[in-house]
Amino acid sequence: GIMKISSYIPVSVRISGSCLLAVCAAWTAVSCGKTDTPEQPSDTGDCIAFYVSANNTIGTKAAIDDTESLLAMSQVPSIHVTDQEQNTAFGVNKEIIYSDNGVWRSDKEWVSGRSYQFYAYIASPDSGYGAPVSVSDNGRNVTVTQPEKYSDNNDHWSDYFLSYITNADGDTRGLVSLDFERVTTCVELYVSTPNSETVTIKNVGFTNVNRSATFRITKHANSGDAVSGQMNNSWAVTPGSSRTSYSVSDVVVKQFSAEQDFDYNTDYRVMYFLTVPQETHVEEPGKEFDIYLNMTYTVKESDTSTPEYTVKLPLNNYRPAMWEMGHKIRYYVSIDTSVELTGTVSAWKTVDFIEGTLLPD
């Protein structure tokens, strides 16, 4: 089927309960905000140049949380820019390589008296790990495929960003600001225990995860009309048919006091991955799919007793029911006999640099 994805307004929920294993999910929206504009480099001349707003988390192939978890990229990605206005001689789907000082400088000069309507996209290059990104229609149609097996190497995952449309003119000139939104979703799993016993996860992971989707823009937002804290571009999303499982093994669970507020410290993060938007329960003609969180773990209760437990949790029983694009889905599992389940919404932390120089200070 086709999913219609548009703006998302954050909400917060609070659920209480008691069970052996508690799952808490938190989801967050991409935010765009004001940023300082870098100075025009002296060697830019009359060439049209672009910069990326610093409040956008731009870093392809990275499941970004904050600067602490951002892995250095081998090179700053190119942007592919299209001018929707005709007769400006700029062109469409023009690849522009990063220059310096937070700026991408094209080889096209401004034309006095001409109006421009720019937008751009950033796509992960095919890393050879079964996660290609296929782009058409000058970035307004894209198929994103994620790898079949889990890896903690960010280079294995695919990402895609599309900017809003930005108006400019050949008389005002100056740097052109680009505000991007990502179409992928980040899923994270955190595990802790409030007990003093040693808890070891033998295997944990997600099953029935859809690997791919095709996105077609249905409403391309203008940067002047964009609302901060919302997804402003709208897409028609066609899910792919290939599903897979992601898992990790042999994890020693760290102790965390149940009286404290869990803040999703990366010390307790067991796994994280990029994926495509999808529901945790999908019904199709003749079949249906549920995404499960499966876990096998042991608890060392004494020198002679280390019982093993296996659980299978259908994520459809927990919020959110939809892994939305541009959001971070966080699952928190506390291994205990009595816990509280909470779902919250918070702002996605912004990143102001990649390799120290990608975005302007």
Side-chain angles (χ1 to χ4, degrees):
I2 296 179
M3 297 181 290
K4 291 287 186 177
I5 308 295
S6 57
S7 299
Y8 172 81
I9 301 176
V11 298
S12 62
V13 298
R14 189 172 186 85
I15 308 169
S16 297
S18 178
C19 58
L20 176 65
L21 279 166
V23 177
C24 159
W27 54 106
T28 43
V30 169
S31 63
C32 299
K34 184 179 179 181
T35 181
D36 294 331
T37 304
E39 294 182 0
Q40 184 93 341
S42 58
D43 61 347
T44 297
D46 289 329
C47 291
I48 301 173
F50 304 85
Y51 77 100
V52 176
S53 295
N55 282 344
N56 286 273
T57 52
I58 297 299
T60 60
K61 301 188 299 182
I64 297 173
D65 178 25
D66 52 30
T67 53
E68 186 176 318
S69 64
L70 182 64
L71 300 185
M73 300 176 64
S74 57
Q75 63 182 22
V76 178
S78 300
I79 60 176
H80 291 76
V81 181
T82 289
D83 175 23
Q84 293 192 143
E85 291 284 356
Q86 297 180 354
N87 302 321
T88 63
F90 183 88
V92 299
N93 199 26
K94 183 174 179 60
E95 181 178 5
I96 303 177
I97 299 173
Y98 177 71
S99 303
D100 54 28
N101 194 33
V103 173
W104 286 258
R105 186 182 64 234
S106 75
D107 60 359
K108 297 293 185 179
E109 294 187 353
W110 292 100
V111 178
S112 298
R114 294 286 175 85
S115 296
Y116 299 80
Q117 284 191 326
F118 292 115
Y119 72 87
Y121 70 85
I122 300 176
S124 296
D126 189 355
S127 58
Y129 294 98
V133 178
S134 177
V135 184
S136 61
D137 194 19
N138 300 323
R140 291 170 293 197
N141 196 84
V142 60
T143 298
V144 176
T145 303
Q146 301 296 357
E148 187 175 1
K149 296 181 179 180
Y150 179 77
S151 172
D152 58 5
N153 185 339
N154 283 353
D155 289 340
H156 289 214
W157 304 94
S158 291
D159 215 348
Y160 185 78
F161 301 80
L162 182 71
S163 80
Y164 304 139
I165 298 170
T166 299
N167 297 316
D169 67 76
D171 295 325
T172 304
R173 307 189 176 191
L175 288 171
V176 180
S177 172
L178 296 174
D179 296 296
F180 285 86
E181 285 183 352
R182 70 182 344 129
V183 302
T184 57
T185 300
C186 179
V187 176
E188 299 182 319
L189 175 64
Y190 295 77
V191 184
S192 72
T193 177
N195 299 323
S196 58
E197 294 90 348
T198 301
V199 178
T200 302
I201 297 174
K202 298 184 68 175
N203 186 271
V204 62
F206 297 84
T207 59
N208 286 332
V209 177
N210 182 19
R211 293 178 55 207
S212 66
T214 297
F215 305 80
R216 177 177 56 83
I217 196 76
T218 58
K219 177 187 175 183
H220 200 166
N222 190 292
S223 60
D225 301 325
V227 178
S228 178
Q230 292 190 8
M231 299 290 291
N232 295 283
N233 290 328
S234 297
W235 300 83
V237 182
T238 304
S241 58
S242 176
R243 293 180 177 269
T244 191
S245 298
Y246 297 134
S247 64
V248 294
S249 303
D250 302 323
V251 178
V252 177
V253 179
K254 296 183 179 181
Q255 186 176 358
F256 181 82
S257 173
E259 286 75 29
Q260 296 176 284
D261 291 328
F262 192 82
D263 61 355
Y264 296 97
N265 189 307
T266 54
D267 289 343
Y268 304 97
R269 190 171 64 188
V270 173
M271 61 187 299
Y272 65 113
F273 56 90
L274 288 181
T275 186
V276 295
Q278 57 194 286
E279 297 174 299
T280 56
H281 173 79
V282 179
E283 294 188 9
E284 298 178 355
K287 55 185 175 180
E288 59 184 69
F289 298 96
D290 282 293
I291 299 178
Y292 285 92
L293 175 62
N294 299 301
M295 180 182 296
T296 300
Y297 64 96
T298 60
V299 180
K300 185 177 182 180
E301 297 178 349
S302 67
D303 292 337
T304 59
S305 176
T306 309
E308 182 176 291
Y309 303 91
T310 298
V311 293
K312 184 177 183 180
L313 302 171
L315 297 186
N316 189 48
N317 291 346
Y318 305 90
R319 297 192 67 179
M322 174 77 184
W323 291 354
E324 298 219 41
M325 71 168 64
H327 290 65
K328 179 168 291 183
I329 314 299
R330 287 167 161 171
Y331 292 101
Y332 168 43
V333 176
S334 178
I335 300 179
D336 193 16
T337 57
S338 179
V339 295
E340 183 180 69
L341 285 73
T342 32
T344 60
V345 176
S346 58
W348 192 330
K349 296 179 182 178
T350 58
V351 178
D352 58 5
F353 72 90
I354 293 177
E355 293 189 333
T357 58
L358 175 58
L359 302 184
D361 294 331

